[in-house]
Amino acid sequence: MDRYDTVIIGMGRMGRTRHEAMARHGGFRVVAVCDARESAMAGFDEKHFTDWKECIDTMQPKVVFVCTINAVTPDVVCYALEKGCDVFSEKPPGRSLQDALRMEECSKGR
């Protein structure tokens, strides 16, 4: 089975849940975790980042899991898509219809 280099942006409850699910699945290699709070990443062996752009730029993952608060979700999703990453994002997809439409527009042409 192929394993995809993956980063998780946002290590709250959903980021931790996704980390556990990827470990069980086996098709993902989590190479980094990212959260604005260093304490949220305690106990994870992967490389830690507090800046999501730096995480994506440095690690150049195939897959980005976006588990952030919805105020920043559209920025992270669009940035990851622009960098050529496949993206999984938690719901809701932002704070408004405009956020969702922005992410849809970013995904076009991929």
Side-chain angles (χ1 to χ4, degrees):
M1 170 189 293
D2 289 339
R3 294 181 71 207
Y4 298 102
D5 285 355
T6 303
V7 300
I8 304 172
I9 311 294
M11 291 306 295
R13 183 173 57 92
M14 291 314 299
R16 291 172 180 276
T17 298
R18 298 299 173 206
H19 190 279
E20 292 169 11
M22 283 184 274
R24 284 192 311 270
H25 180 275
F28 300 91
R29 181 183 313 104
V30 178
V31 295
V33 294
C34 178
D35 197 283
R37 299 165 299 128
E38 184 68 42
S39 62
M41 298 178 284
F44 291 95
D45 295 331
E46 297 85 2
K47 189 163 177 62
H48 292 188
F49 290 87
T50 55
D51 180 286
W52 55 265
K53 282 185 181 178
E54 180 184 2
C55 179
I56 293 168
D57 290 344
T58 301
M59 301 310 295
Q60 299 180 353
K62 169 71 174 145
V63 180
V64 175
F65 275 69
V66 182
C67 305
T68 60
I69 59 171
N70 53 5
V72 296
T73 298
D75 292 337
V76 179
V77 167
C78 287
Y79 190 80
L81 289 170
E82 289 166 4
K83 294 294 184 170
C85 303
D86 294 323
V87 176
F88 174 91
S89 182
E90 294 295 336
K91 61 180 186 174
R95 297 165 293 174
S96 65
L97 176 59
Q98 289 76 20
D99 282 351
L101 293 173
R102 176 179 165 215
M103 288 182 278
E104 178 186 36
E105 188 63 32
C106 289
S107 72
K108 290 182 178 176
R110 291 208 64 236

